[in-house]
Amino acid sequence: MTLTRRLCLIIVALAWALPAGAKPSRPVAEAGIATAHPLATQAGEEIMAAGGNAFDAAVAISAALAVVEPFASGLGGGAFWLLHEAKGGRQTFVDAREVAPGAATRDMYLDELGKPRPGATLDGALAAGIPGQPAGLAYLAKRYGRLPLKKSLAPAIRYAEDGVEVTRGMELGLRFRAGAARNSPALAALYLPGGKALVAGDVVRYPDLARTLRRIAADGRDGFYRGPVAEQLVDGVRAGGGIWTLDDLARYEVIERQPIRASYRGMTIVSAPPPSAGGIALANVFQILSGYELGRLAPADRKHLTIEAMRRAYRDRAIYLGDPAFVSMPLDRLLSPYYADGQRISILMDRATPSIQLSGILPEPVAGTNTTHFSVLDRAGNRVAGTLSINTWFGSAFMPPGTGVILNNEMDDFSIKTGVPNGFDLIGTDANSIAPGKRMLSSMSPTFLESDRGVAILGTPGGSRIISMVLLAALAWSDGADAAAMVALKRYHHQYFPDVVAYEDGAFTPDEKAALEAKGHKLEPSERSYGNMQVVTWDRATGRVAAASDPRGGGDVTIY
Ligand code: GLY
């Protein structure tokens, strides 16, 4: 019998053993799933109950999320899946990130005076990169799954045909994006019937999306990247002012990469390699923090050092990182402990380092976030951490007619001009400039933590803040926090520029705030809480499996 409960559910599992790192696994007795929506969790459970492994569940969950959380991820976007195969302990990273269309140019979002055209990277068909998620689903199913796509896509197709209730989160997202959505008749017909935005409790049916999913179920990646769906996508994009071609779609390729590995006080962190900045930034922060006895310091000093490490890691993100196929990055240096030693010398215990004093780039003055994450562990010990995105709420707010697919606005993750902040206030250089076929730099950081304690599978949406959220959760796990505590943790964030520490209410005590301000940190309360972390953990000593979904979201977990 299976159990599904909201928020956190912990059950004592009769686990035998699970590996740390690349050591082979033996089966665990129970499986765990945490996702951002109860129906996505149910889809994963249904597919595992039908004989699928964690990878089949990842396909089912990713496709279900495209239907039940279409404002956050979907067939029109991209995805990163971090995988651990129980048999042999192999770990790999499946990169289904979007790429720039073949006709994209470096300055395509600038006007004749070299100024960014407002909204051009965010709204409408020109903002969309070539999607990777459909190719990723087909790839995962073929290479790693046990079940045919037809089976793992069935729950998503059913949800799309039966209809899904609008959640409160979707209602808020719709309010935020209604203006842009009005310019896309297909999107407006779904979400703004009669010109009025749907509200929580309304039911939306997605017949076009169900048809597109059925084509993928029948024909694999060709069901999306060639044939009638590809033609509808390209016709719709071009009519909407975009530049996609059929060739762009046909050429899209999923890439498997080596994950980035780092260690911190007996814990191994396995996370996303470029074109995500996540793994490199996390590794750098942990290298810097390894030089301190954080446990012996006052909480304000611990937080000060963590903020200073974030500042330096995000600086390097801005300057060096991009798509490895297009830029040569000094990864050996960035990952070297000697580099961290040098960075540590520049950190003062009593004073914040103004970001402007770090050599680098300066931002030009400028402007939500959406993405989703899920974590899965199956009874054999296979694991998936998947982070999927169409970038901001409802992506580009553009749907090519007849497809049911909301296109991403991931082109905004490129640096359209050195120093010009993107939608997440991130700046960059030529390393992340636009080029045809190039993957835009991401912050998505699906991550495994491994130690003598056991394993944690985690990740979250949140744009530029993903990396700092994963970092804080990893530090907490290293200090003994459980899954529920990791997702509930109050968060703070520094990303080099803007030179402020954004924080959630409760992240700092009044004394800590005073101490950090005395060191020169500019503290800025976040307008609202942020993130929607999903964690599954396995504890080696007790054999317990736990799963937790961020209390800030409406997610759900299951253990069975
Ligand atoms: N679209 C958000 C990211 O990839 O970082």
Side-chain angles (χ1 to χ4, degrees), residues 243-457:
I243 54 175
W244 290 15
T245 63
L246 286 172
D247 197 43
D248 287 334
L249 286 169
R251 289 160 70 105
Y252 182 83
E253 286 300 339
V254 172
I255 300 177
E256 270 201 58
R257 303 180 187 277
Q258 281 290 320
I260 298 288
R261 300 174 74 82
S263 56
Y264 175 76
R265 302 200 174 280
M267 171 174 77
T268 301
I269 301 102
V270 186
S271 194
S276 171
I280 302 283
L282 287 168
N284 182 228
V285 169
F286 281 114
Q287 297 260 34
I288 293 172
L289 295 182
S290 291
Y292 303 99
E293 289 280 353
L294 287 192
R296 293 176 180 227
L297 296 177
D301 286 337
R302 279 210 295 270
K303 289 176 178 174
H304 165 68
L305 292 173
T306 307
I307 293 163
E308 289 303 311
M310 286 179 191
R311 182 197 306 281
R312 284 156 177 80
Y314 274 93
R315 167 199 174 265
D316 290 350
R317 178 199 196 284
I319 294 173
Y320 299 116
L321 302 187
D323 182 342
F326 288 76
V327 252
S328 147
M329 293 172 276
L331 297 192
D332 287 348
R333 172 152 66 89
L334 298 181
L335 293 172
S336 150
Y338 301 115
Y339 182 62
D341 290 345
Q343 288 172 301
R344 223 176 290 114
I345 289 168
S346 74
I347 296 177
L348 304 174
M349 272 318 287
D350 63 341
R351 220 168 333 131
T353 313
S355 288
I356 206 159
Q357 279 179 15
L358 297 176
S359 63
I361 45 175
L362 294 180
E364 289 190 11
V366 231
T369 143
N370 239 274
T371 293
T372 193
H373 176 86
F374 66 86
S375 296
V376 182
L377 168 69
D378 71 16
R379 294 181 190 189
N382 297 304
R383 309 175 214 152
V384 181
T387 312
L388 330 166
S389 185
I390 52 174
N391 201 25
T392 59
W393 285 102
F394 286 93
S396 63
F398 183 82
M399 179 181 281
T403 64
V405 175
I406 303 176
L407 300 187
N408 68 84
N409 58 357
E410 220 77 66
M411 293 296 281
D412 187 66
D413 276 349
F414 278 118
S415 168
I416 62 165
K417 187 180 174 188
T418 294
V420 170
N422 74 353
F424 299 108
D425 281 338
L426 288 165
I427 52 175
T429 60
D430 256 356
N432 188 31
S433 62
I434 302 171
K438 186 173 176 183
R439 282 159 149 85
M440 53 296 283
L441 186 60
S442 174
S443 298
M444 297 193 295
S445 310
T447 296
F448 301 145
L449 307 174
E450 299 161 346
S451 75
D452 290 347
R453 200 182 151 196
V455 169
I457 307 165

Side-chain angles (χ1 to χ4, degrees), residues 31-36 40-41 44-45 48 54 57-58 61-62 65 80-82 372-378 382-388 445-449 455-460 470 483 486-487 532-537 545-549 556-559:
I33 302 175
T35 85
T41 301
E45 192 175 326
M48 285 217 253
I61 292 167
S62 303
L65 287 166
F80 293 146
W81 294 280
L82 179 64
T372 193
H373 176 86
F374 66 86
S375 296
V376 182
L377 168 69
D378 71 16
N382 297 304
R383 309 175 214 152
V384 181
T387 312
L388 330 166
S445 310
T447 296
F448 301 145
L449 307 174
V455 169
I457 307 165
L458 70 154
T460 179
V470 170
M486 288 162 82
V487 298
N532 193 0
M533 183 170 282
Q534 312 298 325
V535 177
V536 173
T537 59
V545 172
S549 182
D556 196 12
V557 304
T558 183
I559 295 178

